[in-house]
């Protein structure tokens, strides 16, 4: 990854230098090879990080057969379920946000 980062850095530096004089407003705005490489790298790196960061929380949601997070009243049997599910959904949403905001908690 280190060599790839060096390569992307070099490409970005060239992109900035080539546009700094003539097209300041279009730096990293076009669909150049440099922009696509940078986007692909960020997407792949971000995907790996989010997978590492959120995998266990996602598995809890997916594997818990008793967990019902449905909040559409039309799809629920009673209002009591709606309030319970709403609270659970908020609880799990907060867990995801906390994990993303403070990843050192894992």
């Amino acid at each position: 990854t280190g060599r790839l980062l060096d390569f992307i850095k070099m490409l970005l530096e060239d992109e900035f230098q080539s546009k700094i004089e003539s097209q300041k407003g279009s730096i990293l705005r076009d669909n150049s090879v440099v922009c696509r490489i940078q986007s692909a790298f960020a997407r792949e790196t971000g995907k790996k990080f989010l997978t590492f960061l959120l995998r266990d929380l996602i598995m809890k949601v997916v594997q818990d057969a008793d967990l019902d997070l449905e909040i559409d009243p039309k799809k629920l049997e009673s209002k009591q379920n709606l309030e319970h599910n709403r609270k659970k959904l908020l609880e799990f949403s907060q867990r995801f946000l906390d994990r993303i905001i403070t990843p050192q908690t894992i």
Side-chain angles (χ1 to χ4, degrees), residues 6-23:
D6 291 341
F7 178 68
I8 292 171
K9 181 180 176 186
M10 182 194 70
L11 289 173
L12 287 171
E13 286 172 354
D14 285 348
E15 176 87 1
F16 276 89
Q17 288 302 317
S18 70
K19 292 199 175 168
I20 204 151
E21 296 298 321
S22 62
Q23 302 168 325

Side-chain angles (χ1 to χ4, degrees), residues 86-101:
R86 188 186 70 76
K87 286 179 182 178
K88 280 294 189 191
L89 180 60
L90 287 172
E91 176 188 324
F92 271 91
S93 297
Q94 190 63 53
R95 286 184 191 178
F96 277 89
L97 287 173
D98 290 345
R99 181 70 62 86
I100 292 168
I101 293 168

Side-chain angles (χ1 to χ4, degrees), residues 51-61 96 99 106:
T51 299
F52 168 76
L53 193 65
L54 302 175
R55 173 178 267 136
D56 65 315
L57 291 175
I58 291 169
M59 295 309 290
K60 283 180 188 177
V61 172
F96 277 89
R99 181 70 62 86
I106 56 170

Side-chain angles (χ1 to χ4, degrees), residues 71-73 76 78-87:
I71 59 170
D72 183 347
L76 292 171
S78 74
K79 294 257 186 205
Q80 184 179 11
N81 289 351
L82 175 64
E83 187 56 28
H84 174 76
N85 292 358
R86 188 186 70 76
K87 286 179 182 178

